[in-house]
Amino acid sequence: MAHQSHPCWSCQWPDSWLLRGFFPGLSPPLQDVLRIAVVAVVFAAISEWGLIFPICQSEKLRIRGELWRWLSAYTCRLVCIASILAGTAGILWMREEGPSIAIILPEIALTYMIVVTFLVSATVTFQPTKLIQLKSKTAQCTMGYAAPGGVVSVVLTTSFLIKNIHHRTVRGDAPGTTQGFVTLRPKLVHDM
């Protein structure tokens, strides 16, 4: 006797109930934008812990030395990856919806964050002695605020994208969508 799996367990990610339940009728490019934006927010949230954790420690237990170096590199890498993902989501959004100044300006900020966090991460990892040689206040401020600024840029950009996708589906602007989430929910339960 062959094993038959439950229909819900064998569904593919694009056809999953989660994506259809919250944002019904999205085109495949907007589904990609939504997925990438959500992953970018998760990366930004994780990297924020790397920024907050050292601040919340007492002076005696404060992270220093080699451990601080690896935590900084890890945090900058996560911010860099989150910025790349948010930038990609913005580009896919503009490809689907057309260019918008509300996306182009954050894209410029995200590109800056990608470059700075990558360079800081590489410097902290491979040449930490170079950090001691930096005497310029501008360079020190740029390095100090790169990761927190990147997190803020990622969260603002992805929140804008997710909010616009949500408003499009609730209003029925998405292709193939004529109903909002509340009226479509009973039909989704029936489909499963």
Side-chain angles (χ1 to χ4, degrees):
M1 178 187 240
H3 174 67
Q4 293 183 351
S5 63
H6 189 272
C8 186
W9 295 334
S10 63
C11 59
Q12 299 294 322
W13 170 250
D15 297 327
S16 71
W17 66 272
L18 180 64
L19 196 57
R20 286 184 302 158
F22 291 116
F23 301 102
L26 282 180
S27 65
L30 288 182
Q31 289 177 1
D32 293 338
V33 168
L34 180 61
R35 280 190 213 111
I36 293 170
V38 168
V39 171
V41 167
V42 169
F43 272 63
I46 294 170
S47 64
E48 189 62 34
W49 278 107
L51 297 170
I52 292 173
F53 183 71
I55 295 170
C56 295
Q57 290 184 324
S58 67
E59 189 63 36
K60 287 184 357 183
L61 299 174
R62 182 126 327 156
I63 295 175
R64 291 182 183 88
E66 197 69 18
L67 187 57
W68 175 86
R69 185 179 89 148
W70 288 110
L71 181 64
S72 297
Y74 171 76
T75 302
C76 283
R77 284 185 198 121
L78 282 177
V79 172
C80 184
I81 292 168
S83 298
I84 290 169
L85 290 170
T88 303
I91 290 170
L92 291 174
W93 174 268
M94 286 192 297
R95 186 173 164 201
E96 182 75 10
E97 300 297 318
S100 166
I101 196 71
I103 299 294
I104 293 172
L105 291 178
E107 288 291 322
I108 293 168
L110 289 169
T111 303
Y112 173 76
M113 294 301 166
I114 291 167
V115 172
V116 171
T117 55
F118 176 78
L119 291 175
V120 168
S121 174
T123 303
V124 167
T125 303
F126 299 114
Q127 295 182 338
T129 56
K130 296 287 184 186
L131 294 176
I132 298 168
Q133 297 173 357
L134 286 176
K135 303 293 182 198
S136 167
K137 283 287 188 192
T138 305
Q140 291 174 357
C141 285
T142 300
M143 288 178 43
Y145 293 115
V151 169
V152 169
S153 297
V154 167
V155 169
L156 290 176
T157 303
T158 54
S159 297
F160 174 78
L161 293 171
I162 293 169
K163 184 185 88 149
N164 280 336
I165 289 172
H166 175 70
H167 284 301
R168 287 189 61 180
T169 57
V170 168
R171 284 192 323 237
D173 294 345
T177 305
T178 57
Q179 299 171 325
F181 174 72
V182 175
T183 57
L184 192 59
R185 184 70 178 162
K187 182 179 179 192
L188 287 175
V189 172
H190 175 68
D191 288 344
M192 293 190 345

